Amino acid sequence: MSGLRKIMLTILTLLMLTGTLLAGRYIFTGKHLSKKSIAAVPAVQEGDIIFQVSQSDLSTAIQLATHSKYSHCGIIFKRDDQWYVYEALQPVRYTPLMQWINRGKEQHFVIKRLKNAGTVLTPEVISKMKTAGERFNGRDYDFYFGWSDERIYCSELVWKIYNEVTGLEIGKLQQLKDFDLESPAVKQQMKEIYGNSIPLTEKIISPVSMFESPLLATVAE
C-alpha cells in the first residue's frame, strides 16, 4: 500500500470516528470506545440532577446506610456550549458530562428534572443557581457530612443551590441517626471519620432522599 493511500485511509478513519462520537453513540473511556446508548443525553437541560454509583469504600458505606443504589449526584449546567456536572468531589468542581458518566460504576446514570422546570428554571434562575454555586467552587469535600458551608458533600451542594435560589427543598433533611449504621462497612467508615464521637444529630441530606423527591421526574436512565 502506498504512503499516500495509508494517509488517506487514516484520515477517513479519523473522520468516521469523530462523526460517531459527535452522534453520541459511543463514550470514550480513555482506553477504548465502549458502546453505550446515551440517546437521552442531548435532551438534558440546565438544572437537571444526575445520579450515579461512585466506586469507593465510602460509596459502599453510603449505599448501605441509606439503603440506596445511588451514592453520588450533581447538577448539570452548560459552560461554553458544553455540558458539565457541577459536583462536590475533591474539590468542588465542574466535570465534563461524558467524563462524569464514564467515572461511575458500569457508566450507569439517572437524570431527574424538576416537574415544573419549564416555569421555575428560567434562564434568569439558572444564572442565579450558577452564581450561588460559585461560592462553593474549589472547596474541599466534606467527609464529615457536616451542614456548614466550610466543606461540602455532593447532595448538600445540590440541595443548597436549589434551596437558596428557588426556595425548594429537593429531598427531606434527616439526622445521621436516622440511617442504618449497623453494617460492618458503615461502622468502619464511621470509626475512620468520627472516631468515638459520632454526631448522631447532625443535619444531613442524602442522595436517596433527593432521588425519591416527589418534586422530581426521571428523564433518563
Side-chain angles (χ1 to χ4, degrees), residues 200-221:
L200 293 175
T201 59
E202 184 68 44
K203 187 187 302 181
I204 286 182
I205 181 67
S206 67
V208 66
S209 183
M210 301 192 72
F211 189 86
E212 295 177 348
S213 171
L215 299 180
L216 303 178
T218 301
V219 295
E221 60 181 338

Side-chain angles (χ1 to χ4, degrees), residues 44-59:
V44 298
Q45 296 178 12
E46 291 197 283
D48 284 353
I49 303 173
I50 187 168
F51 298 83
Q52 69 177 189
V53 181
S54 56
Q55 304 188 65
S56 67
D57 292 338
L58 181 59
S59 173

Side-chain angles (χ1 to χ4, degrees), residues 45-50 74-78 83 112-114 121 126 129 158 162 216:
Q45 296 178 12
E46 291 197 283
D48 284 353
I49 303 173
I50 187 168
I75 306 181
I76 295 176
F77 287 129
K78 183 174 275 190
W83 291 109
K112 295 214 168 195
R113 180 176 301 155
L114 202 63
L121 300 183
I126 290 295
M129 290 173 71
V158 177
Y162 258 94
L216 303 178

Side-chain angles (χ1 to χ4, degrees), residues 46-178:
E46 291 197 283
D48 284 353
I49 303 173
I50 187 168
F51 298 83
Q52 69 177 189
V53 181
S54 56
Q55 304 188 65
S56 67
D57 292 338
L58 181 59
S59 173
T60 300
I62 292 172
Q63 289 174 280
L64 291 170
T66 62
H67 296 173
S68 171
K69 178 179 180 179
Y70 301 101
S71 58
H72 188 54
C73 61
I75 306 181
I76 295 176
F77 287 129
K78 183 174 275 190
R79 305 179 80 197
D80 300 324
D81 291 324
Q82 301 295 322
W83 291 109
Y84 287 83
V85 178
Y86 193 46
E87 62 173 338
L89 199 61
Q90 178 52 32
V92 174
R93 64 193 182 207
Y94 281 92
T95 301
L97 176 58
M98 292 296 96
Q99 180 182 323
W100 194 92
I101 290 172
N102 284 335
R103 199 182 63 215
K105 185 176 181 180
E106 298 178 352
Q107 300 177 336
H108 174 68
F109 61 92
V110 174
I111 297 175
K112 295 214 168 195
R113 180 176 301 155
L114 202 63
K115 289 180 178 178
N116 56 347
T119 56
V120 175
L121 300 183
T122 63
E124 292 77 16
V125 168
I126 290 295
S127 179
K128 289 179 180 178
M129 290 173 71
K130 291 178 180 178
T131 299
E134 276 303 310
R135 76 174 188 273
F136 302 114
N137 200 18
R139 295 199 181 180
D140 289 331
Y141 182 83
D142 189 0
F143 292 99
Y144 298 94
F145 300 102
W147 196 244
S148 77
D149 291 347
E150 184 178 353
R151 297 170 181 262
I152 197 158
Y153 55 92
C154 67
S155 45
E156 179 190 11
L157 176 70
V158 177
W159 195 96
K160 285 183 173 178
I161 290 174
Y162 258 94
N163 184 249
E164 178 178 331
V165 178
T166 70
L168 297 173
E169 296 188 0
I170 309 296
K172 179 184 177 182
L173 293 175
Q174 297 172 276
Q175 294 182 334
L176 185 58
K177 66 182 180 181
D178 295 329

